[in-house]
Amino acid sequence: MKDQIRQIEQEALKEIASAGLSMDALEALRVKYLGRKGTVTELFKTMALLPPDEKPGIGVLINALKSTVTSALDGRIAGAARSGEEADRVDVTLPGIAGKPGRIHPVTQTINQICSVFISLGFKIVEGPEIETERYNFEALNIPLEHPSRDAFDTFYLKSSEKYLLRSHTSPVQARFMEKNKPPFSIIVPGKVYRPDATDASHSFMFHQIEGLAVSDSIRFSDLKGVLEIFAKQLFGKETKMRFRPSFFPFTEPSAEVDISCILCSNQRLPPAKQGAGQAEAGSQKRCSLCGGKGWIEILGAGMVNPKVFKNVGYDPEKVTGFAFGMGVERIAILKYGIPDIRLFFENDVRFLKQF
Ligand code: PHE
């Protein structure tokens, strides 16, 4: 039996040594040798059957075997635990992974900027659906069936049905809002609009507009001028001048196209000595590249709400007056930042986007 004990000890130590640092493997060995039916436990049971005078000597040997195996296993288990901790430890001396901070898209930045000017003047932000009906996109706005913008070439009609289209401007929200609300109110409506234009440096089939609408019992054209002048000065600088040119929109009467003094040649961008309306530089013969020599650039369409529109939404045109305007956001951003091509906004090129 002494030989058997020695042999078991050798085998156990060898197995424990080669078990590596796997906790599962070490636990299996503990069960194999020291468990209830383990090899060492079985030895004690065998010893009980020995003649009384042999028991003490063998008992000492089995006890010694038990403590050898136990301490060999304990040593290994402690090592395994330590190496587990090491794997979890963070090496603070390793180079870090730099985060790439995102930023707000220049179009969104421009929308936010424009909206905050109007919010400071008491306007509320309202939004409307991008999928519209002919009623809101055209009819309620007094755009007749024969109007060129109702042609399939100028509006995206949705295939499934003749009734739905992608709104070609944000003006339908004027009618939607008026149907559900009573004056007085002043709202601005930022959002995407769609037109099947061939894409080039200044056209995109999708772009953003901001619509404005103010209605009360006493809104006048001078209110429109005052509000737009504050907007233009806040966005393009205090020296910015504004002019209204007579124009036509079916949903406003009278209507105007609104220009600002060119921010490149007629405005604060150049020192006063270099400013010369329409010229690349004061006294120069070369025309300004931004306004083409006119000294003015168009930024929006506007007018007094057509009484027919009021009637279409259930208002009494004798009792209310209002103004409306609509501007293209990309155009404003292009002018403000001197961006050469509208497509840059939508190509997701980080080299472009990270400049804003
Ligand atoms: N909806 C017009 C456009 O898209 C702009 C506009 C809005 C003009 C409101 C006048 C009043 O061109």
Side-chain angles (χ1 to χ4, degrees):
M1 191 152 183
K2 281 181 192 164
D3 288 345
Q4 197 191 351
I5 292 170
R6 206 173 302 122
Q7 200 186 330
I8 289 173
E9 183 177 295
Q10 277 168 13
E11 269 171 32
L13 291 178
K14 212 163 96 193
E15 275 195 273
I16 292 168
S18 59
L21 289 176
S22 152
M23 278 292 194
D24 288 346
L26 292 167
E27 174 61 17
L29 286 176
R30 195 190 62 74
V31 172
K32 177 175 174 184
Y33 287 101
L34 306 173
R36 243 176 344 109
K37 287 187 179 153
T39 317
V40 177
T41 319
E42 294 298 332
L43 280 176
F44 279 119
K45 287 179 195 161
T46 315
M47 179 195 76
L49 305 174
L50 289 173
D53 59 331
E54 286 182 30
K55 275 187 194 171
I58 296 295
V60 168
L61 290 179
I62 301 176
N63 271 323
L65 168 66
K66 188 183 173 183
S67 71
T68 305
V69 173
T70 303
S71 66
L73 274 172
D74 285 351
R76 278 274 151 175
I77 287 170
R82 228 179 297 124
S83 87
E85 273 165 29
E86 243 141 57
D88 287 342
R89 199 177 294 156
V90 175
D91 182 353
V92 292
T93 65
L94 283 173
I97 302 162
K100 288 188 186 136
R103 30 181 120 227
I104 295 175
H105 192 280
V107 168
T108 311
Q109 283 189 39
T110 308
I111 290 175
N112 292 346
Q113 228 173 345
I114 296 169
C115 286
S116 71
V117 174
F118 287 105
I119 285 168
S120 76
L121 295 171
F123 285 70
K124 296 260 172 305
I125 295 181
V126 169
E127 287 180 311
E130 288 169 32
I131 294 176
E132 261 302 358
T133 59
E134 292 200 286
R135 156 155 168 72
Y136 287 110
N137 200 76
F138 299 123
E139 279 147 33
L141 297 170
N142 191 39
I143 303 175
L145 204 51
E146 60 285 359
H147 195 276
S149 69
R150 297 190 62 161
D151 199 285
F153 294 108
D154 290 296
T155 300
F156 282 113
Y157 288 89
L158 298 185
K159 273 243 175 67
S160 58
S161 147
E162 277 298 290
K163 277 196 351 233
Y164 293 102
L165 50 85
L166 295 179
R167 66 178 177 191
S168 57
H169 51 174
T170 41
S171 303
V173 188
Q174 288 190 28
R176 284 185 175 273
F177 186 83
M178 287 194 280
E179 275 185 350
K180 292 231 161 78
N181 296 273
K182 293 256 157 298
F185 59 78
S186 32
I187 58 166
I188 33 167
V189 185
K192 292 188 173 70
V193 302
Y194 302 83
R195 293 179 191 177
D197 289 330
T199 302
D200 63 25
S202 54
H203 292 86
S204 165
F205 60 85
M206 183 283 295
F207 59 98
H208 298 75
Q209 283 191 334
I210 292 183
E211 189 86 8
L213 175 68
V215 180
S216 82
D217 56 3
S218 58
I219 296 246
R220 297 171 303 175
F221 200 91
S222 54
D223 295 317
L224 171 63
K225 290 186 92 168
V227 162
L228 289 181
E229 192 162 333
I230 292 171
F231 154 73
K233 290 194 163 157
Q234 293 240 356
L235 225 78
F236 295 104
K238 282 201 292 291
E239 293 85 275
T240 309
K241 288 178 278 297
M242 231 180 30
R243 74 173 185 186
F244 282 63
R245 280 180 293 109
S247 184
F248 173 78
F249 297 103
F251 34 94
T252 47
E253 182 60 32
S255 304
E257 255 155 337
V258 179
D259 299 342
I260 56 167
S261 47
C262 179
I263 50 177
L264 208 56
C265 68
S266 313
N267 216 336
Q268 74 288 354
R269 289 272 171 98
L270 292 175
K274 289 204 166 179
Q275 285 184 24
Q279 293 146 355
E281 277 190 15
S284 120
Q285 292 303 302
K286 253 177 63 193
R287 287 201 189 145
C288 169
S289 59
L290 189 59
C291 65
K294 293 198 281 284
W296 297 92
I297 33 187
E298 188 194 319
I299 55 158
L300 55 87
M304 299 305 286
V305 178
N306 191 320
K308 286 185 184 158
V309 174
F310 283 145
K311 225 183 270 168
N312 290 341
V313 298
Y315 283 5
D316 182 351
E318 297 296 325
K319 295 207 172 111
V320 293
T321 58
F323 66 68
F325 58 83
M327 66 183 95
V329 176
E330 283 79 359
R331 183 167 165 76
I332 306 260
I334 280 169
L335 293 172
K336 214 172 138 57
Y337 301 112
I339 295 162
D341 194 319
I342 194 172
R343 288 170 288 200
L344 287 164
F345 288 123
F346 309 120
E347 284 168 348
N348 276 341
D349 187 332
V350 205
R351 291 169 303 176
F352 169 74
L353 296 173
K354 73 180 186 190
Q355 298 176 68
F356 297 91

